[in-house]
Every structure is written in C-alpha cells, then in structure tokens.
Amino acid sequence: MLKNKAFPQGNRHRIKAATAAACVAAIALWIPAASAHGIGDSPLSGKTIWQTLHKSLYLTTGPENPKRIIYVFFDPNCEYCHAFWDVSHKTQNELSLDIRWVPVAFLKGSSMAKAAAIMESNNSPDAFRYNEEHFHESTEEGGIRGVPTAPTGLMDAIKANWETLKIILRNDGTPTIVYPYNGTIKVQRGLPSSQSKIYQILTGR
C-alpha cells in the first residue's frame, strides 16, 4: 500500500501542481457560471477547461518551445494510453508538439504507486517513458516500479486530476485527450478509433 509522507518544498522536475482542495474549490466556483458553450456535456467553456488543465499536475514531453500543446489524462496501467503514446511520441518533435500527460490512478491497486513514482522522479519525462517502453501488454501493467511512499501533496494532486476528469470533463476513463482544433477546445474520450482522428489531434488540422 502507498503511504503518505511530507511533501518536499520545490519541484525537482518539470511538473505543475495543484492541491485537491484548491482544484475542487475552483470547480465549485466555476460550475454555476457555466454557459451553453461547454464541451459536449461539460458544464464549462473550452477556455475555462484549458485554464484548469494548465493549473493541474502534469509532466510535459516534446520540444522546449512547442507550436502546439495537448493534454492527455493517463493511468500508468492503461493499455489504451500506452497505445496512444506509442503512436504520438514518434512524431511529436517533428510536429513541434508538447504533450502534457496528466496522471490519474484508478485502474489497479498499483496505479497510484506507479503514478507517484513517475511524478516524484528527478526526471518525470524519463520515468514516464520507461513506464511505457516496458509496458506489459499481457498483464496490462506499466513497466515502472511503484514507490512504497509518496508525498501527501503529490497524491492529493493526482486525486485532484481525477476529480477534474470526472467533474469537468465528465469522463471516467483513459485516455482522455483535450486539444485545440479550429479555434475551439475539443475532448476525445478514449483512444481515437481512426488514423484521421489521431492526425487531427496531433496536428490540429
């Protein structure tokens, strides 16, 4: 079982963090003001959703000064997230694409320990890549070894991501991909079913 420990001051890697309390409080404030311009059945506008994701906990992969950004909610044990990574990571530098991977933990008992191991690493993008390169498809298990302890603040932030996924994006599965397209913000719930949809997500065209 993953146990709590004190959250260290300062970040040692390229992540953005928010506490669960702050996230849920922000959600409660935004929902009453939502308009009919939400995404699908989300109560919020695309702009508000994008701002919320920017404040969430994530790791970033891709070039330093990207021309395009997308967010992908993932569970370290998600085979469909792994399938999307397998396609996207090969072309993202060529496309000048920053993929911001937003961790959640719900699929298996080891998911939180693995997500914490990735995000607590001195190099989260490398730890994430290791998890995917060593993914066990037969058991649907990420390759990284989970940590036995993790900072309370880190686990709260991962839980806050789950609340964002459920409450704001109205989804309870992964991958959930949020991306700009044609001047709007789109949400892809689940692995894209066609090459044309993957192309749209990665390129915005």
Side-chain angles (χ1 to χ4, degrees), residues 8 10 26 39 48 72-73 82 94 97 104 130 142 146-147 153 158 160 172 178-179 192:
I39 300 176
T48 301
V72 182
F73 284 79
H82 171 68
E94 178 184 346
L97 171 67
V104 293
Y130 181 91
V147 292
I158 294 171
D172 58 1
V178 185
Y179 64 100

mmCIF file with all atom_site columns, all heavy atoms in Angstrom, residues 8 10 26 39 48 72-73 82 94 97 104 130 142 146-147 153 158 160 172 178-179 192:
data_model
loop_
_atom_site.group_PDB
_atom_site.id
_atom_site.type_symbol
_atom_site.label_atom_id
_atom_site.label_alt_id
_atom_site.label_comp_id
_atom_site.label_asym_id
_atom_site.label_entity_id
_atom_site.label_seq_id
_atom_site.pdbx_PDB_ins_code
_atom_site.Cartn_x
_atom_site.Cartn_y
_atom_site.Cartn_z
_atom_site.occupancy
_atom_site.B_iso_or_equiv
_atom_site.pdbx_formal_charge
_atom_site.auth_seq_id
_atom_site.auth_comp_id
_atom_site.auth_asym_id
_atom_site.auth_atom_id
_atom_site.pdbx_PDB_model_num
ATOM 1   N N   . PRO A 1 8   ? 7.850   17.535 -0.258  1.00 0.00 ? 8   PRO A N   1
ATOM 2   C CA  . PRO A 1 8   ? 9.052   18.362 -0.233  1.00 0.00 ? 8   PRO A CA  1
ATOM 3   C C   . PRO A 1 8   ? 8.790   19.745 -0.803  1.00 0.00 ? 8   PRO A C   1
ATOM 4   O O   . PRO A 1 8   ? 7.942   19.919 -1.670  1.00 0.00 ? 8   PRO A O   1
ATOM 5   C CB  . PRO A 1 8   ? 10.026  17.574 -1.120  1.00 0.00 ? 8   PRO A CB  1
ATOM 6   C CG  . PRO A 1 8   ? 9.157   16.783 -2.032  1.00 0.00 ? 8   PRO A CG  1
ATOM 7   C CD  . PRO A 1 8   ? 7.925   16.450 -1.235  1.00 0.00 ? 8   PRO A CD  1
ATOM 8   N N   . GLY A 1 10  ? 9.420   22.766 -3.191  1.00 0.00 ? 10  GLY A N   1
ATOM 9   C CA  . GLY A 1 10  ? 10.039  22.958 -4.507  1.00 0.00 ? 10  GLY A CA  1
ATOM 10  C C   . GLY A 1 10  ? 9.893   21.736 -5.380  1.00 0.00 ? 10  GLY A C   1
ATOM 11  O O   . GLY A 1 10  ? 9.781   20.608 -4.901  1.00 0.00 ? 10  GLY A O   1
ATOM 12  N N   . ALA A 1 26  ? -12.165 25.402 -6.901  1.00 0.00 ? 26  ALA A N   1
ATOM 13  C CA  . ALA A 1 26  ? -12.268 26.117 -8.173  1.00 0.00 ? 26  ALA A CA  1
ATOM 14  C C   . ALA A 1 26  ? -13.406 25.564 -9.014  1.00 0.00 ? 26  ALA A C   1
ATOM 15  O O   . ALA A 1 26  ? -14.165 26.316 -9.642  1.00 0.00 ? 26  ALA A O   1
ATOM 16  C CB  . ALA A 1 26  ? -10.952 26.014 -8.939  1.00 0.00 ? 26  ALA A CB  1
ATOM 17  N N   . ILE A 1 39  ? -17.990 22.023 -23.509 1.00 0.00 ? 39  ILE A N   1
ATOM 18  C CA  . ILE A 1 39  ? -17.556 20.976 -24.434 1.00 0.00 ? 39  ILE A CA  1
ATOM 19  C C   . ILE A 1 39  ? -18.408 19.748 -24.212 1.00 0.00 ? 39  ILE A C   1
ATOM 20  O O   . ILE A 1 39  ? -18.350 19.126 -23.153 1.00 0.00 ? 39  ILE A O   1
ATOM 21  C CB  . ILE A 1 39  ? -16.076 20.647 -24.218 1.00 0.00 ? 39  ILE A CB  1
ATOM 22  C CG1 . ILE A 1 39  ? -15.225 21.890 -24.443 1.00 0.00 ? 39  ILE A CG1 1
ATOM 23  C CG2 . ILE A 1 39  ? -15.627 19.538 -25.139 1.00 0.00 ? 39  ILE A CG2 1
ATOM 24  C CD1 . ILE A 1 39  ? -13.771 21.685 -24.154 1.00 0.00 ? 39  ILE A CD1 1
ATOM 25  N N   . THR A 1 48  ? -12.156 27.926 -20.145 1.00 0.00 ? 48  THR A N   1
ATOM 26  C CA  . THR A 1 48  ? -12.036 27.641 -18.719 1.00 0.00 ? 48  THR A CA  1
ATOM 27  C C   . THR A 1 48  ? -11.414 26.275 -18.487 1.00 0.00 ? 48  THR A C   1
ATOM 28  O O   . THR A 1 48  ? -10.589 26.094 -17.585 1.00 0.00 ? 48  THR A O   1
ATOM 29  C CB  . THR A 1 48  ? -13.408 27.720 -18.043 1.00 0.00 ? 48  THR A CB  1
ATOM 30  O OG1 . THR A 1 48  ? -13.945 29.026 -18.241 1.00 0.00 ? 48  THR A OG1 1
ATOM 31  C CG2 . THR A 1 48  ? -13.294 27.445 -16.546 1.00 0.00 ? 48  THR A CG2 1
ATOM 32  N N   . VAL A 1 72  ? -3.229  14.965 -22.105 1.00 0.00 ? 72  VAL A N   1
ATOM 33  C CA  . VAL A 1 72  ? -3.698  13.581 -22.135 1.00 0.00 ? 72  VAL A CA  1
ATOM 34  C C   . VAL A 1 72  ? -3.774  13.052 -20.703 1.00 0.00 ? 72  VAL A C   1
ATOM 35  O O   . VAL A 1 72  ? -2.748  12.945 -20.021 1.00 0.00 ? 72  VAL A O   1
ATOM 36  C CB  . VAL A 1 72  ? -2.771  12.676 -22.971 1.00 0.00 ? 72  VAL A CB  1
ATOM 37  C CG1 . VAL A 1 72  ? -3.318  11.252 -23.010 1.00 0.00 ? 72  VAL A CG1 1
ATOM 38  C CG2 . VAL A 1 72  ? -2.587  13.217 -24.381 1.00 0.00 ? 72  VAL A CG2 1
ATOM 39  N N   . PHE A 1 73  ? -4.973  12.727 -20.241 1.00 0.00 ? 73  PHE A N   1
ATOM 40  C CA  . PHE A 1 73  ? -5.132  12.068 -18.952 1.00 0.00 ? 73  PHE A CA  1
ATOM 41  C C   . PHE A 1 73  ? -4.775  10.589 -19.123 1.00 0.00 ? 73  PHE A C   1
ATOM 42  O O   . PHE A 1 73  ? -5.282  9.927  -20.040 1.00 0.00 ? 73  PHE A O   1
ATOM 43  C CB  . PHE A 1 73  ? -6.577  12.197 -18.464 1.00 0.00 ? 73  PHE A CB  1
ATOM 44  C CG  . PHE A 1 73  ? -6.915  13.552 -17.926 1.00 0.00 ? 73  PHE A CG  1
ATOM 45  C CD1 . PHE A 1 73  ? -7.192  14.602 -18.784 1.00 0.00 ? 73  PHE A CD1 1
ATOM 46  C CD2 . PHE A 1 73  ? -6.958  13.785 -16.558 1.00 0.00 ? 73  PHE A CD2 1
ATOM 47  C CE1 . PHE A 1 73  ? -7.511  15.864 -18.301 1.00 0.00 ? 73  PHE A CE1 1
ATOM 48  C CE2 . PHE A 1 73  ? -7.276  15.041 -16.061 1.00 0.00 ? 73  PHE A CE2 1
ATOM 49  C CZ  . PHE A 1 73  ? -7.548  16.092 -16.938 1.00 0.00 ? 73  PHE A CZ  1
ATOM 50  N N   . HIS A 1 82  ? -1.162  3.682  -23.363 1.00 0.00 ? 82  HIS A N   1
ATOM 51  C CA  . HIS A 1 82  ? 0.102   3.193  -23.905 1.00 0.00 ? 82  HIS A CA  1
ATOM 52  C C   . HIS A 1 82  ? 0.054   3.169  -25.427 1.00 0.00 ? 82  HIS A C   1
ATOM 53  O O   . HIS A 1 82  ? 1.030   3.559  -26.099 1.00 0.00 ? 82  HIS A O   1
ATOM 54  C CB  . HIS A 1 82  ? 0.389   1.788  -23.372 1.00 0.00 ? 82  HIS A CB  1
ATOM 55  C CG  . HIS A 1 82  ? 1.547   1.119  -24.018 1.00 0.00 ? 82  HIS A CG  1
ATOM 56  N ND1 . HIS A 1 82  ? 2.853   1.546  -23.854 1.00 0.00 ? 82  HIS A ND1 1
ATOM 57  C CD2 . HIS A 1 82  ? 1.610   0.051  -24.876 1.00 0.00 ? 82  HIS A CD2 1
ATOM 58  C CE1 . HIS A 1 82  ? 3.660   0.780  -24.562 1.00 0.00 ? 82  HIS A CE1 1
ATOM 59  N NE2 . HIS A 1 82  ? 2.927   -0.129 -25.189 1.00 0.00 ? 82  HIS A NE2 1
ATOM 60  N N   . GLU A 1 94  ? 8.877   16.297 -34.382 1.00 0.00 ? 94  GLU A N   1
ATOM 61  C CA  . GLU A 1 94  ? 8.734   16.738 -35.766 1.00 0.00 ? 94  GLU A CA  1
ATOM 62  C C   . GLU A 1 94  ? 7.563   17.710 -35.915 1.00 0.00 ? 94  GLU A C   1
ATOM 63  O O   . GLU A 1 94  ? 7.627   18.675 -36.695 1.00 0.00 ? 94  GLU A O   1
ATOM 64  C CB  . GLU A 1 94  ? 8.517   15.528 -36.673 1.00 0.00 ? 94  GLU A CB  1
ATOM 65  C CG  . GLU A 1 94  ? 8.310   15.868 -38.138 1.00 0.00 ? 94  GLU A CG  1
ATOM 66  C CD  . GLU A 1 94  ? 8.010   14.633 -38.969 1.00 0.00 ? 94  GLU A CD  1
ATOM 67  O OE1 . GLU A 1 94  ? 8.217   13.508 -38.472 1.00 0.00 ? 94  GLU A OE1 1
ATOM 68  O OE2 . GLU A 1 94  ? 7.549   14.800 -40.108 1.00 0.00 ? 94  GLU A OE2 1
ATOM 69  N N   . LEU A 1 97  ? 5.223   19.501 -31.033 1.00 0.00 ? 97  LEU A N   1
ATOM 70  C CA  . LEU A 1 97  ? 4.057   19.251 -30.189 1.00 0.00 ? 97  LEU A CA  1
ATOM 71  C C   . LEU A 1 97  ? 4.478   18.946 -28.764 1.00 0.00 ? 97  LEU A C   1
ATOM 72  O O   . LEU A 1 97  ? 5.297   18.052 -28.528 1.00 0.00 ? 97  LEU A O   1
ATOM 73  C CB  . LEU A 1 97  ? 3.265   18.071 -30.762 1.00 0.00 ? 97  LEU A CB  1
ATOM 74  C CG  . LEU A 1 97  ? 2.124   17.519 -29.917 1.00 0.00 ? 97  LEU A CG  1
ATOM 75  C CD1 . LEU A 1 97  ? 0.995   18.552 -29.790 1.00 0.00 ? 97  LEU A CD1 1
ATOM 76  C CD2 . LEU A 1 97  ? 1.601   16.212 -30.518 1.00 0.00 ? 97  LEU A CD2 1
ATOM 77  N N   . VAL A 1 104 ? -3.634  10.144 -13.536 1.00 0.00 ? 104 VAL A N   1
ATOM 78  C CA  . VAL A 1 104 ? -4.702  9.744  -12.628 1.00 0.00 ? 104 VAL A CA  1
ATOM 79  C C   . VAL A 1 104 ? -4.391  8.315  -12.194 1.00 0.00 ? 104 VAL A C   1
ATOM 80  O O   . VAL A 1 104 ? -3.498  7.677  -12.744 1.00 0.00 ? 104 VAL A O   1
ATOM 81  C CB  . VAL A 1 104 ? -6.097  9.832  -13.295 1.00 0.00 ? 104 VAL A CB  1
ATOM 82  C CG1 . VAL A 1 104 ? -6.462  11.276 -13.595 1.00 0.00 ? 104 VAL A CG1 1
ATOM 83  C CG2 . VAL A 1 104 ? -6.172  8.998  -14.558 1.00 0.00 ? 104 VAL A CG2 1
ATOM 84  N N   . TYR A 1 130 ? 10.050  5.310  -19.471 1.00 0.00 ? 130 TYR A N   1
ATOM 85  C CA  . TYR A 1 130 ? 10.404  3.964  -19.015 1.00 0.00 ? 130 TYR A CA  1
ATOM 86  C C   . TYR A 1 130 ? 9.141   3.133  -18.779 1.00 0.00 ? 130 TYR A C   1
ATOM 87  O O   . TYR A 1 130 ? 9.077   1.957  -19.161 1.00 0.00 ? 130 TYR A O   1
ATOM 88  C CB  . TYR A 1 130 ? 11.230  4.041  -17.728 1.00 0.00 ? 130 TYR A CB  1
ATOM 89  C CG  . TYR A 1 130 ? 11.654  2.685  -17.216 1.00 0.00 ? 130 TYR A CG  1
ATOM 90  C CD1 . TYR A 1 130 ? 12.871  2.127  -17.599 1.00 0.00 ? 130 TYR A CD1 1
ATOM 91  C CD2 . TYR A 1 130 ? 10.819  1.942  -16.370 1.00 0.00 ? 130 TYR A CD2 1
ATOM 92  C CE1 . TYR A 1 130 ? 13.254  0.869  -17.149 1.00 0.00 ? 130 TYR A CE1 1
ATOM 93  C CE2 . TYR A 1 130 ? 11.188  0.690  -15.926 1.00 0.00 ? 130 TYR A CE2 1
ATOM 94  C CZ  . TYR A 1 130 ? 12.408  0.161  -16.308 1.00 0.00 ? 130 TYR A CZ  1
ATOM 95  O OH  . TYR A 1 130 ? 12.769  -1.090 -15.880 1.00 0.00 ? 130 TYR A OH  1
ATOM 96  N N   . GLY A 1 142 ? 1.901   -1.108 -16.283 1.00 0.00 ? 142 GLY A N   1
ATOM 97  C CA  . GLY A 1 142 ? 3.008   -0.234 -16.616 1.00 0.00 ? 142 GLY A CA  1
ATOM 98  C C   . GLY A 1 142 ? 4.328   -0.797 -16.125 1.00 0.00 ? 142 GLY A C   1
ATOM 99  O O   . GLY A 1 142 ? 4.378   -1.549 -15.147 1.00 0.00 ? 142 GLY A O   1
ATOM 100 N N   . GLY A 1 146 ? 6.302   0.820  -8.648  1.00 0.00 ? 146 GLY A N   1
ATOM 101 C CA  . GLY A 1 146 ? 5.669   1.817  -7.797  1.00 0.00 ? 146 GLY A CA  1
ATOM 102 C C   . GLY A 1 146 ? 6.477   2.103  -6.551  1.00 0.00 ? 146 GLY A C   1
ATOM 103 O O   . GLY A 1 146 ? 7.235   1.259  -6.078  1.00 0.00 ? 146 GLY A O   1
ATOM 104 N N   . VAL A 1 147 ? 6.313   3.304  -6.009  1.00 0.00 ? 147 VAL A N   1
ATOM 105 C CA  . VAL A 1 147 ? 7.024   3.676  -4.784  1.00 0.00 ? 147 VAL A CA  1
ATOM 106 C C   . VAL A 1 147 ? 6.184   3.281  -3.571  1.00 0.00 ? 147 VAL A C   1
ATOM 107 O O   . VAL A 1 147 ? 4.955   3.333  -3.611  1.00 0.00 ? 147 VAL A O   1
ATOM 108 C CB  . VAL A 1 147 ? 7.324   5.193  -4.748  1.00 0.00 ? 147 VAL A CB  1
ATOM 109 C CG1 . VAL A 1 147 ? 8.350   5.551  -5.809  1.00 0.00 ? 147 VAL A CG1 1
ATOM 110 C CG2 . VAL A 1 147 ? 6.048   6.002  -4.932  1.00 0.00 ? 147 VAL A CG2 1
ATOM 111 N N   . GLY A 1 153 ? 0.973   15.750 -0.616  1.00 0.00 ? 153 GLY A N   1
ATOM 112 C CA  . GLY A 1 153 ? 0.589   16.759 -1.601  1.00 0.00 ? 153 GLY A CA  1
ATOM 113 C C   . GLY A 1 153 ? 0.588   16.217 -3.016  1.00 0.00 ? 153 GLY A C   1
ATOM 114 O O   . GLY A 1 153 ? -0.254  16.602 -3.833  1.00 0.00 ? 153 GLY A O   1
ATOM 115 N N   . ILE A 1 158 ? -2.733  14.191 -7.699  1.00 0.00 ? 158 ILE A N   1
ATOM 116 C CA  . ILE A 1 158 ? -3.169  13.133 -8.615  1.00 0.00 ? 158 ILE A CA  1
ATOM 117 C C   . ILE A 1 158 ? -4.670  12.880 -8.436  1.00 0.00 ? 158 ILE A C   1
ATOM 118 O O   . ILE A 1 158 ? -5.399  12.698 -9.420  1.00 0.00 ? 158 ILE A O   1
ATOM 119 C CB  . ILE A 1 158 ? -2.354  11.851 -8.376  1.00 0.00 ? 158 ILE A CB  1
ATOM 120 C CG1 . ILE A 1 158 ? -0.885  12.087 -8.764  1.00 0.00 ? 158 ILE A CG1 1
ATOM 121 C CG2 . ILE A 1 158 ? -2.927  10.677 -9.175  1.00 0.00 ? 158 ILE A CG2 1
ATOM 122 C CD1 . ILE A 1 158 ? 0.061   10.967 -8.368  1.00 0.00 ? 158 ILE A CD1 1
ATOM 123 N N   . ALA A 1 160 ? -6.773  15.125 -7.431  1.00 0.00 ? 160 ALA A N   1
ATOM 124 C CA  . ALA A 1 160 ? -7.431  16.305 -7.990  1.00 0.00 ? 160 ALA A CA  1
ATOM 125 C C   . ALA A 1 160 ? -7.590  16.169 -9.501  1.00 0.00 ? 160 ALA A C   1
ATOM 126 O O   . ALA A 1 160 ? -8.592  16.603 -10.077 1.00 0.00 ? 160 ALA A O   1
ATOM 127 C CB  . ALA A 1 160 ? -6.642  17.565 -7.649  1.00 0.00 ? 160 ALA A CB  1
ATOM 128 N N   . ASP A 1 172 ? -14.804 9.065  -17.067 1.00 0.00 ? 172 ASP A N   1
ATOM 129 C CA  . ASP A 1 172 ? -14.168 8.270  -16.022 1.00 0.00 ? 172 ASP A CA  1
ATOM 130 C C   . ASP A 1 172 ? -13.264 7.200  -16.628 1.00 0.00 ? 172 ASP A C   1
ATOM 131 O O   . ASP A 1 172 ? -13.086 6.127  -16.059 1.00 0.00 ? 172 ASP A O   1
ATOM 132 C CB  . ASP A 1 172 ? -15.203 7.627  -15.099 1.00 0.00 ? 172 ASP A CB  1
ATOM 133 C CG  . ASP A 1 172 ? -16.182 6.728  -15.842 1.00 0.00 ? 172 ASP A CG  1
ATOM 134 O OD1 . ASP A 1 172 ? -16.047 6.594  -17.079 1.00 0.00 ? 172 ASP A OD1 1
ATOM 135 O OD2 . ASP A 1 172 ? -17.067 6.147  -15.189 1.00 0.00 ? 172 ASP A OD2 1
ATOM 136 N N   . VAL A 1 178 ? -7.451  16.333 -24.468 1.00 0.00 ? 178 VAL A N   1
ATOM 137 C CA  . VAL A 1 178 ? -8.008  17.677 -24.659 1.00 0.00 ? 178 VAL A CA  1
ATOM 138 C C   . VAL A 1 178 ? -7.066  18.423 -25.595 1.00 0.00 ? 178 VAL A C   1
ATOM 139 O O   . VAL A 1 178 ? -5.862  18.524 -25.321 1.00 0.00 ? 178 VAL A O   1
ATOM 140 C CB  . VAL A 1 178 ? -8.145  18.412 -23.314 1.00 0.00 ? 178 VAL A CB  1
ATOM 141 C CG1 . VAL A 1 178 ? -8.838  19.764 -23.507 1.00 0.00 ? 178 VAL A CG1 1
ATOM 142 C CG2 . VAL A 1 178 ? -8.914  17.554 -22.304 1.00 0.00 ? 178 VAL A CG2 1
ATOM 143 N N   . TYR A 1 179 ? -7.622  18.951 -26.682 1.00 0.00 ? 179 TYR A N   1
ATOM 144 C CA  . TYR A 1 179 ? -6.756  19.535 -27.709 1.00 0.00 ? 179 TYR A CA  1
ATOM 145 C C   . TYR A 1 179 ? -7.461  20.679 -28.434 1.00 0.00 ? 179 TYR A C   1
ATOM 146 O O   . TYR A 1 179 ? -8.685  20.692 -28.560 1.00 0.00 ? 179 TYR A O   1
ATOM 147 C CB  . TYR A 1 179 ? -6.343  18.462 -28.718 1.00 0.00 ? 179 TYR A CB  1
ATOM 148 C CG  . TYR A 1 179 ? -7.479  17.861 -29.514 1.00 0.00 ? 179 TYR A CG  1
ATOM 149 C CD1 . TYR A 1 179 ? -7.746  18.275 -30.813 1.00 0.00 ? 179 TYR A CD1 1
ATOM 150 C CD2 . TYR A 1 179 ? -8.296  16.864 -28.974 1.00 0.00 ? 179 TYR A CD2 1
ATOM 151 C CE1 . TYR A 1 179 ? -8.780  17.729 -31.555 1.00 0.00 ? 179 TYR A CE1 1
ATOM 152 C CE2 . TYR A 1 179 ? -9.336  16.301 -29.699 1.00 0.00 ? 179 TYR A CE2 1
ATOM 153 C CZ  . TYR A 1 179 ? -9.581  16.731 -30.989 1.00 0.00 ? 179 TYR A CZ  1
ATOM 154 O OH  . TYR A 1 179 ? -10.615 16.197 -31.723 1.00 0.00 ? 179 TYR A OH  1
ATOM 155 N N   . PRO A 1 192 ? -8.537  7.269  -29.839 1.00 0.00 ? 192 PRO A N   1
ATOM 156 C CA  . PRO A 1 192 ? -9.113  7.583  -31.151 1.00 0.00 ? 192 PRO A CA  1
ATOM 157 C C   . PRO A 1 192 ? -9.226  6.332  -32.014 1.00 0.00 ? 192 PRO A C   1
ATOM 158 O O   . PRO A 1 192 ? -8.324  5.492  -32.024 1.00 0.00 ? 192 PRO A O   1
ATOM 159 C CB  . PRO A 1 192 ? -8.118  8.583  -31.739 1.00 0.00 ? 192 PRO A CB  1
ATOM 160 C CG  . PRO A 1 192 ? -7.436  9.182  -30.562 1.00 0.00 ? 192 PRO A CG  1
ATOM 161 C CD  . PRO A 1 192 ? -7.365  8.096  -29.533 1.00 0.00 ? 192 PRO A CD  1
#
